[in-house]
Amino acid sequence: MSWNYEIKDDGITVEELLRTEWGLGKKVVHELRMAKSVKNDKFQEVVWKEPLPKGTILQFDLPKADSPYEPNHDIELPVLFEDEHFLIARKPKGMNTHPNEIGQNDTFINAIIGHIIRGGGSYGEHVHRLDQGTSGLLMVAKHPVAKNILDRMLEQKQLVRDYEAVVNGKVHNKSGTIDFAIGRDRHHPTRRMVSPTGQSAVTHYKLLRHMEGKSLLQLSLETGRTHQIRTHLSHIGHPIIGDELYGGPSTQDGAYHLHAFRMSFIHPFTDEKIVVEDTAR
């Protein structure tokens, strides 16, 4: 896995680029150093603590990394964005993000690993997750350095994820913020609940329109707790239609209406503003 990177600021060192700019962990930085993975445009090793002029071209040549997931070549999912570093694809409702038991290979990541291998790659790791019943966009890193960087971006709220949900009842406020900590429900193995002893969780919403007995909301996450949107909407008295686990009215197909339709962020290697939207929702 190889790619080129142009130094954006005068005087930065390779060490500073990896540790400070990209926020790579010590283990990943050590592996890159030991593998002599960073060279200049003349394929010569660079001194990691030597300041480099703006415009210097670095070549990254990563050791081959394999995915721990078994590829599934029978399931093809729509890929809406892809380059050598990561891809963004659509997960359908009813599909798990990753295997939850030994031998399971019908999940989103199994299908995406199949796609990556067919394209000549070998590694893929999901950066975040969607609940089985939630559809929409998921990001997958295509090499370990990208995974390390994207994990940090997610933690620092630099990956903006927008959702749409159809909820029960008429939401009166045109917009708002739901700020309640979320913890496990001790009386149920999978359900979450608002709890003062839980992890902080913040969800922003905007009312798009009212329908008969329902409301369509656009939501964005400031944090990424398990079942965050579902828990928060239930807590304010507007559970998602079909989300019976959180008190929503049942639907004919048994599905609930929550879709991750947009992702936006600054590309960590090119500095481009990337916006990926699923228009098929």
Side-chain angles (χ1 to χ4, degrees):
M1 172 73 205
S2 300
W3 80 91
N4 291 339
Y5 179 81
E6 182 178 340
I7 294 293
K8 307 291 192 302
D9 299 308
D10 202 37
I12 194 171
T13 68
V14 172
E15 188 92 22
E16 290 169 337
L17 174 68
L18 301 185
R19 290 188 181 277
T20 306
E21 298 261 326
W22 291 355
L24 299 183
K26 290 182 180 179
K27 180 182 177 184
V28 175
V29 171
H30 177 72
E31 289 172 349
L32 291 176
R33 190 193 294 272
M34 290 299 98
K36 299 179 180 178
S37 294
V38 188
K39 296 180 172 61
N40 61 24
D41 55 358
K42 295 175 182 163
F43 304 103
Q44 300 167 328
E45 282 188 61
V46 294
V47 180
W48 279 43
K49 294 192 176 181
E50 179 180 291
L52 300 171
K54 180 180 178 180
T56 299
I57 303 297
L58 297 177
Q59 183 183 66
F60 287 82
D61 189 11
L62 304 186
K64 184 175 182 289
D66 292 313
S67 172
Y69 302 106
E70 178 187 345
N72 187 322
H73 296 286
D74 296 326
I75 304 173
E76 292 194 33
L77 299 177
V79 175
L80 282 76
F81 177 93
E82 184 171 13
D83 64 11
E84 65 265 51
H85 305 293
F86 60 87
L87 63 80
I88 297 172
R90 182 193 305 135
K91 183 189 84 68
K93 290 180 183 180
M95 175 181 280
N96 285 319
T97 297
H98 55 78
N100 292 313
E101 55 189 42
I102 295 173
Q104 185 180 10
N105 74 338
D106 59 351
T107 73
F108 170 85
I109 194 65
N110 297 113
I112 291 301
I113 294 301
H115 168 85
I116 289 171
I117 288 174
R118 291 192 296 275
S122 61
Y123 175 93
E125 185 67 69
H126 54 88
V127 177
H128 54 111
R129 292 182 293 273
L130 291 177
D131 296 338
Q132 182 179 3
T134 303
S135 60
L137 302 180
L138 273 171
M139 177 183 279
V140 175
K142 293 175 65 177
H143 57 79
V145 171
K147 176 65 165 66
N148 216 244
I149 293 173
L150 293 168
D151 282 345
R152 176 187 57 81
M153 291 176 65
L154 186 66
E155 184 180 326
Q156 295 180 355
K157 306 177 179 67
Q158 295 173 353
L159 298 177
V160 179
R161 295 163 290 158
D162 296 314
Y163 296 73
E164 282 185 354
V166 180
V167 303
N168 193 41
K170 185 176 182 180
V171 176
H172 296 286
N173 294 333
K174 291 185 177 179
S175 63
T177 296
I178 309 169
D179 186 354
F180 295 107
I182 291 174
R184 290 183 176 274
D185 185 338
R186 290 179 297 171
H187 305 291
H188 194 282
T190 59
R191 191 167 52 211
R192 299 301 193 268
M193 62 182 293
V194 164
S195 168
T197 61
Q199 295 177 298
S200 66
V202 180
T203 304
H204 305 285
Y205 72 88
K206 181 169 66 175
L207 174 65
L208 297 180
R209 66 176 182 271
H210 290 129
M211 298 170 281
E212 189 175 342
K214 300 177 284 190
S215 302
L216 177 63
L217 301 182
Q218 180 177 312
L219 307 110
S220 62
L221 295 177
E222 195 168 302
T223 52
R225 308 304 178 200
T226 301
H227 296 188
Q228 178 174 318
I229 291 175
R230 300 165 65 190
T231 303
H232 272 170
L233 291 175
S234 176
H235 184 74
I236 66 170
H238 295 287
I240 298 171
I241 298 292
D243 191 5
E244 296 183 67
L245 181 63
Y246 287 94
S250 62
T251 54
Q252 240 180 358
D253 61 2
Y256 59 83
H257 298 274
L258 179 60
H259 182 69
F261 76 93
R262 184 167 59 209
M263 292 187 67
S264 55
F265 53 95
I266 302 299
H267 195 298
F269 299 109
T270 67
D271 288 340
E272 294 177 87
K273 171 81 173 189
I274 305 293
V275 179
V276 179
E277 186 162 341
D278 184 2
T279 57
R281 64 185 186 278

